[in-house]
Amino acid sequence: MEPTEEAQALAVEAVGRFVGAKCWCVVAGAGTGSRVHLGFGASIPRQTEIRNPTLPDLVRRYEPDLSLLIGCAWRLIDRGEVVCGWQDSNLFGDAMLTGLSRLDGTEVESAAIHAPGNDLTLSFSGGVRLDVFADRTNSDESDENYLVFVPERIVTIGIKSRIEIGAR
């Protein structure tokens, strides 16, 4: 099934909102597998504080108005060199967390979804780039490729890069 032009346009518009927003939430590590959650923009007080002591206080008390949840393959590049990727160790002090920490405090300079596979590229200040590869094609895989959260909707890039639009 081909994505509708409307769904594709909504997906492109949603990731476009990341441009100019500062990344202040980076959640990954033991217990999350290769999943990564990135938060951007305004910090909204949570109705209920998260009690997880491994999370930074800011993340426990606030949620981002724009966010990206990655469940597929990804790679982080800094000034032309590969820093880490989804299969690196996610233990404290190892490649994944050390590399992803480079995103904290950076601003998104550009965001693009690449049809037809709906891979995502986010370029950040300081020469850092995140490439997300929507590689989940097997319906036996239960995870989505990635989800984009904006205030009024959730854009899901699912199995075989299908786009789903839902309310937030």
Side-chain angles (χ1 to χ4, degrees):
M1 178 169 109
E2 293 293 317
T4 67
E5 287 182 25
E6 180 183 9
Q8 188 74 37
L10 287 170
V12 168
E13 186 271 335
V15 299
R17 292 198 197 175
F18 290 169
V19 176
K22 184 178 177 179
C23 180
W24 61 267
C25 172
V26 179
V27 177
T32 66
S34 60
R35 282 188 171 269
V36 175
H37 176 240
L38 301 175
F40 308 89
S43 53
I44 302 165
R46 294 183 185 275
Q47 290 183 344
T48 304
E49 185 174 314
I50 297 173
R51 296 185 187 270
N52 184 341
T54 63
L55 293 175
D57 186 56
L58 185 63
V59 175
R60 289 195 316 262
R61 295 179 38 224
Y62 297 91
E63 63 182 305
D65 69 333
L66 306 170
S67 63
L68 173 65
L69 179 61
I70 306 168
C72 59
W74 57 269
R75 177 177 57 220
L76 188 70
I77 297 173
D78 189 349
R79 291 175 284 253
E81 294 207 19
V82 175
V83 174
C84 63
W86 69 286
Q87 289 188 315
D88 286 319
S89 171
N90 64 2
L91 297 177
F92 183 77
D94 282 353
M96 183 187 292
L97 298 182
T98 301
L100 288 171
S101 70
R102 297 176 189 210
L103 297 176
D104 193 24
T106 62
E107 185 176 299
V108 178
E109 293 182 340
S110 67
I113 293 180
H114 310 284
N118 293 320
D119 294 342
L120 173 66
T121 301
L122 296 178
S123 295
F124 295 84
S125 56
V128 180
R129 185 179 85 225
L130 177 66
D131 295 321
V132 179
F133 308 104
D135 65 341
R136 301 210 182 257
T137 59
N138 185 330
S139 60
D140 291 339
E141 297 175 8
S142 61
D143 291 336
E144 299 86 1
N145 282 293
Y146 62 92
L147 293 93
V148 175
F149 298 82
V150 295
E152 67 282 348
R153 76 178 61 94
I154 301 169
V155 176
T156 302
I157 306 300
I159 302 299
K160 294 188 178 178
S161 299
R162 291 187 181 109
I163 301 173
E164 295 178 25
I165 308 295
R168 183 167 179 183

